[in-house]
Amino acid sequence: MKNMKLKIARMEQGLSQVQLAEMTDVTRQTIGMIEAGDFNPSLKLCIRICKALGKTLDDLFWEVE
């Protein structure tokens, strides 16, 4: 399942995948795979992404069914 919430939050901050990757100490490919739904990040990485984007875990990673 694609993570459109992450992609939208990143774009609202005016950040590229490369910039977010640098801020969270991962590769651009990792950010791309998370957004595409091809990679399930660790809780530690989710928290780093949330802090970088000023969002909560619920904002970016909670799935509503």
Side-chain angles (χ1 to χ4, degrees):
M1 181 171 170
K2 290 187 178 185
N3 191 331
M4 293 304 295
K5 293 188 268 185
L6 172 57
K7 184 174 183 174
I8 291 167
R10 176 181 58 77
M11 294 175 75
E12 286 176 344
Q13 295 291 322
L15 296 172
S16 67
Q17 287 183 346
V18 172
Q19 290 168 314
L20 181 57
E22 289 171 354
M23 294 170 70
T24 56
D25 199 32
V26 296
T27 65
R28 187 225 30 100
Q29 289 84 355
T30 298
I31 299 298
M33 289 189 323
I34 295 169
E35 289 182 357
D38 295 331
F39 181 74
N40 205 4
S42 67
L43 179 58
K44 191 173 185 177
L45 177 53
C46 289
I47 291 169
R48 288 197 318 255
I49 290 170
C50 288
K51 286 182 179 179
L53 296 175
K55 299 288 185 177
T56 66
L57 287 169
D58 286 349
D59 291 339
L60 298 181
F61 296 103
W62 186 258
E63 294 180 14
V64 178
E65 295 183 19

